[in-house]
């Protein structure tokens, strides 16, 4: 069992003051003072969301904090030789379009995207500004890159899951709840890869082999979530799987509250759901490697010449206290394989 390192958080104003006081030292590492570069980023979360606030700290355990810290190690100091701009796409289609337009109008040197929808929107808006996607499940299938090894164009980045994850999630939730007869699949068709089919093929194959019925539970609005989950509190016994989906991440608190209310076990793709009180998650370990690519692009490397990288490690997290509240006895064989057990 491994423990997540504690976050060392510094507010961004304090961080900029610290950076400014040591600018000469960082410039000696290779930063160039000839002009102020612009690194831009989009997030599907509101800017006041807990995950967004946490990400804006100077900590390697958060995506944006890790980016800023990683760039500093490479000689790029925020407020000295580059500035960081972030916009939220949260708030509906008009807000989404406005956020993308605002970033494009800044003429940034590189744009970091965090979801499939964001990457597609930015690609539609520019063919010249380099784009680095921090997470993408199917970059070739979505038309973002020509191939993983040779992306081409102005885009590259990092994948976060494979299509086989659907079957893996079912295997794990069945170990936690071995007597289920059906599994519900929660997702928003508009925001999950290939409207869910990216994961459903392997999930349905695993379900057919294990005799479990797959019941789709698509949701398109926050108000749909409670009813979608309540259906699986009745017989025959069921558990649920949350697909990789930015909509579900935004609404993670609502989802967790409904699973507790209706006592429905659910497995999630990211540790964000565990932080909100989820039962178990299985997904890629958060490795903030985007600083490597942003640095290379700022120094002149073409995004399309940088290969798309896959996760190097996956982690299983289990909350035993949540399991007890749901009336589950998590098998020791499953607990023994967990990277982290929360109480």
């Amino acid at each position: 069992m491994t423990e997540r390192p504690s976050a060392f958080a510094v507010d961004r104003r304090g961080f900029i003051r610290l950076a400014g006081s040591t600018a000469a030292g960082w410039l000696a590492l290779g930063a160039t003072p000839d002009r102020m570069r612009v690194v831009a980023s989009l997030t599907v979360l509101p800017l006041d969301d807990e995950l967004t606030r946490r990400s804006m700290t100077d900590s390697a355990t958060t995506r944006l904090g890790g980016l800023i810290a990683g760039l500093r190690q490479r000689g790029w100091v925020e407020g000295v030789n580059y500035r960081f701009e972030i916009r939220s796409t949260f708030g509906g289609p008009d807000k989404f379009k406005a956020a993308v337009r605002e970033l494009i109008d800044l003429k940034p040197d590189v744009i970091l995207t965090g979801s499939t929808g964001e990457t597609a929107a930015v690609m539609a808006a520019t063919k010249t500004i380099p784009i680095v996607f921090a997470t993408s499940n199917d970059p070739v299938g979505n038309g973002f890159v020509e191939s993983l090894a040779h992306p081409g164009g102005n885009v590259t980045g990092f994948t976060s899951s494979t299509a086989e994850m659907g079957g893996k999630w079912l295997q794990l939730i069945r170990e936690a709840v071995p007597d289920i007869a059906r599994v519900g699949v929660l997702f928003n068709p508009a925001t999950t890869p290939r409207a869910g089919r990216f994961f459903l093929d392997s999930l349905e194959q695993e379900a057919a082999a294990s005799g479990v019925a797959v019941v789709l539970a698509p949701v398109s609005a926050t108000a749909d979530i409670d009813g979608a989950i309540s259906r699986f509190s009745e017989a025959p016994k069921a558990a649920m799987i949350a697909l990789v989906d930015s909509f579900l991440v935004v609404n993670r608190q609502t989802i967790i509250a409904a699973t507790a209310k209706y006592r429905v076990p659910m497995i999630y793709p990211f540790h964000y759901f565990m932080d909100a009180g989820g039962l178990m998650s299985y997904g890629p370990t958060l490795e903030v490697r985007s600083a490597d690519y942003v640095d290379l692009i700022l120094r002149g490397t073409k995004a399309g010449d940088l290969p798309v990288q896959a996760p190097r490690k996956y982690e299983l997290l289990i909350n035993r206290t949540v399991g007890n509240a749901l009336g589950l006895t998590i098998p020791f064989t499953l607990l023994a394989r967990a990277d982290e057990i929360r109480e």
Side-chain angles (χ1 to χ4, degrees):
M1 181 176 69
T2 58
E3 295 183 0
R4 190 178 303 281
S6 60
F8 172 68
V10 177
D11 66 81
R12 295 186 74 238
R13 289 182 180 178
F15 172 45
I16 292 174
R17 287 197 299 270
L18 176 63
S21 67
T22 58
W26 298 123
L27 291 172
L29 291 177
T32 54
D34 56 331
R35 70 179 180 87
M36 184 73 74
R37 309 298 177 88
V38 178
V39 176
S41 180
L42 284 173
T43 176
V44 298
L45 298 169
L47 293 180
D48 61 355
D49 186 281
E50 178 188 357
L51 283 181
T52 310
R53 293 198 304 270
R54 193 190 312 167
S55 289
M56 294 307 294
T57 64
D58 177 28
S59 168
T61 63
T62 65
R63 179 167 289 126
L64 294 181
L67 169 67
I68 292 170
L71 287 176
R72 186 174 74 249
Q73 292 172 351
R74 292 159 178 80
W76 299 101
V77 186
E78 187 183 10
V80 176
N81 55 2
Y82 87 97
R83 77 175 193 269
F84 183 73
E85 298 280 352
I86 184 170
R87 298 292 185 274
S88 170
T89 59
F90 181 79
D94 291 340
K95 179 61 185 298
F96 191 108
K97 292 177 183 178
V100 172
R101 189 71 261 164
E102 283 183 29
L103 281 196
I104 297 297
D105 288 345
L106 291 173
K107 296 181 173 55
D109 294 274
V110 59
I111 298 176
L112 188 71
T113 59
S115 74
T116 296
E118 291 173 356
T119 305
V122 175
M123 286 186 67
T126 178
K127 302 300 181 185
T128 57
I129 298 174
I131 301 166
V132 177
F133 49 80
T135 58
S136 178
N137 294 282
D138 186 20
V140 176
N142 284 312
F144 297 162
V145 298
E146 296 174 8
S147 71
L148 299 183
H150 303 286
N154 62 318
V155 186
T156 189
F158 305 86
T159 61
S160 56
S161 294
T162 65
E164 291 72 26
M165 291 290 284
K168 184 64 176 179
W169 290 322
L170 179 53
Q171 290 174 7
L172 290 169
I173 196 66
R174 285 189 66 240
E175 286 192 61
V177 196
D179 56 344
I180 59 172
R182 58 193 178 123
V183 62
V185 184
L186 189 69
F187 65 102
N188 183 337
T191 51
T192 195
R194 295 191 199 173
R197 289 312 317 174
F198 184 70
F199 300 107
L200 285 172
D201 289 343
S202 68
L203 197 160
E204 290 170 347
Q205 290 172 9
E206 179 65 26
S210 56
V212 174
V214 176
V215 182
L216 303 186
V219 290
S220 57
T222 303
D224 299 337
I225 292 172
D226 189 274
I229 292 174
S230 69
R231 296 164 48 199
F232 298 93
S233 63
E234 304 168 353
K237 191 166 185 178
M240 296 189 74
I241 296 170
L243 297 188
V244 172
D245 186 337
S246 58
F247 173 83
L248 300 189
V249 174
V250 171
N251 290 282
R252 63 196 181 283
Q253 299 284 358
T254 301
I255 295 168
I256 299 300
T259 59
K261 175 182 177 181
Y262 297 111
R263 295 172 61 84
V264 177
M266 187 181 296
I267 186 169
Y268 306 94
F270 302 122
H271 71 84
Y272 310 130
F273 294 91
M274 300 295 293
D275 298 339
L279 170 64
M280 59 191 300
S281 68
Y282 182 73
T285 302
L286 179 61
E287 295 181 282
V288 183
R289 293 182 281 163
S290 53
D292 295 336
Y293 276 7
V294 172
D295 171 59
L296 288 170
I297 290 169
L298 291 177
R299 297 180 188 278
T301 303
K302 294 181 179 179
D305 292 339
L306 298 170
V308 174
Q309 297 188 40
R312 293 181 290 194
K313 182 183 177 183
Y314 289 82
E315 62 182 2
L316 172 64
L317 279 59
I318 299 174
N319 191 315
R320 189 156 44 184
T321 300
V322 173
N324 292 338
L326 294 173
L328 302 176
T329 301
I330 307 295
F332 175 77
T333 52
L334 184 58
L335 292 172
R337 303 203 312 274
D339 294 278
E340 182 179 335
I341 299 173
R342 301 188 180 184
E343 302 287 355

